[in-house]
Amino acid sequence: MLIVVDPGHGGSDSGAIGYGYFEKDINLSVSLKLRDVLKANSVDVILTRDKDITLGLSERCDIANKNNADYFVSIHCNSFKDSSAKGTETYSYPGSTSGAKLAKGVQQAIVTNLKTADRGVKTANFYVLHHTSMPSILVELGFITNKDDLDLLLNKQNLYAASISNGILNTVGLKQTNGSNDIEKLHQMGIISDYYDPESYVKWKDIAGALLKIIGG
Ligand SMILES: [Zn+2]
């Protein structure tokens, strides 16, 4: 299984700007974390860019097409002149059944875990969706121009990455490994406050806090 992850924009193209933050940086940071989570689940990943470089839309598609990727996932943030606009939406190419299925899985995983407003799954004739030859989606994680969404975009990147990964793996029928699902379930139950790398160490105060939540202390 090979997934090409595409951090939108980069280099001279900052993407949207909100409160001094550039979309290109958030896209890259979440994509790097997504790569790590997918790899921990034995999925091969190629990033269209792993640093802050300018990259054309056709080059991004070429990387996916030449490597015969199974799926293409483009990561973006939304923006709007009205700062009250917020939420997550995921796009697939019109008429692509497997693209729509993947979009739905990823969208639901994000809105469930991040509790962002659910703007739904949509279809659009975006260049990267049109010119990739495999099922492809474009995820708008949240609005960089909305303070609540921006807070999540900056501080919950691990959870975004885990949600997208789990959304993909559940949709394509791959089993999660390395305890990813366990961590996600505990987070949804409110016992732990974020998603962490399954292999990372835990402090005793975190264990104590989680245990107290379970017994209602
Ligand atoms: Zn964008």
Side-chain angles (χ1 to χ4, degrees):
M1 168 75 62
L2 171 66
I3 296 179
V4 167
V5 175
D6 173 46
H9 312 281
S12 60
D13 171 15
S14 70
I17 301 174
Y19 303 98
Y21 291 95
F22 293 160
E23 181 196 347
K24 64 174 183 175
D25 296 326
I26 295 170
N27 296 343
L28 177 59
S29 185
V30 171
S31 296
L32 289 168
K33 292 174 193 300
L34 174 58
R35 174 188 64 183
D36 293 345
V37 183
L38 285 169
K39 282 193 164 180
N41 283 283
S42 306
V43 174
D44 293 320
V45 178
I46 295 176
L47 288 171
T48 55
R49 66 179 179 97
D50 60 4
K51 46 184 167 319
D52 187 21
I53 53 165
T54 306
L55 194 64
L57 295 177
S58 62
E59 293 169 88
R60 296 168 195 262
C61 299
D62 285 350
I63 292 170
N65 294 338
K66 279 182 185 152
N67 287 287
N68 275 319
D70 295 291
Y71 297 96
F72 178 88
V73 178
S74 192
I75 303 295
H76 286 256
C77 304
N78 229 327
S79 67
F80 197 60
K81 55 184 186 296
D82 180 350
S83 67
S84 68
K86 61 179 182 177
T88 302
E89 58 194 29
T90 306
Y91 290 87
S92 61
Y93 190 65
S96 167
T97 311
S98 34
K101 200 174 146 211
L102 185 65
K104 194 174 169 210
V106 168
Q107 172 75 14
Q108 285 184 345
I110 293 176
V111 298
T112 301
N113 288 334
L114 276 300
K115 314 248 186 307
T116 47
D118 187 357
R119 300 174 66 91
V121 289
K122 303 177 178 183
T123 58
N125 188 13
F126 293 147
Y127 189 97
V128 294
L129 300 181
H130 189 172
H131 292 91
T132 41
S133 50
M134 66 290 307
S136 57
I137 59 171
L138 187 145
V139 189
E140 297 278 8
L141 303 170
F143 280 71
I144 198 170
T145 44
N146 175 268
K147 275 196 167 154
D148 295 334
D149 275 9
L150 179 61
D151 181 55
L152 298 172
L153 291 169
L154 295 174
N155 300 310
K156 294 288 177 185
Q157 294 182 353
N158 285 327
L159 192 55
Y160 268 113
S163 304
I164 297 166
S165 170
N166 288 357
I168 294 170
L169 298 182
N170 288 334
T171 304
V172 306
L174 279 181
K175 210 173 169 311
Q176 320 277 332
T177 55
N178 292 359
S180 299
N181 257 355
D182 299 341
I183 297 168
E184 195 183 344
K185 263 184 217 155
L186 285 169
H187 173 265
Q188 285 175 14
M189 293 163 72
I191 292 167
I192 54 176
S193 59
D194 198 355
Y195 178 93
Y196 297 99
D197 177 349
E199 299 297 320
S200 66
Y201 293 99
V202 179
K203 293 195 175 86
W204 274 108
K205 63 172 181 159
D206 295 331
I207 295 178
L211 289 172
L212 273 177
K213 271 183 194 156
I214 295 168
I215 62 172

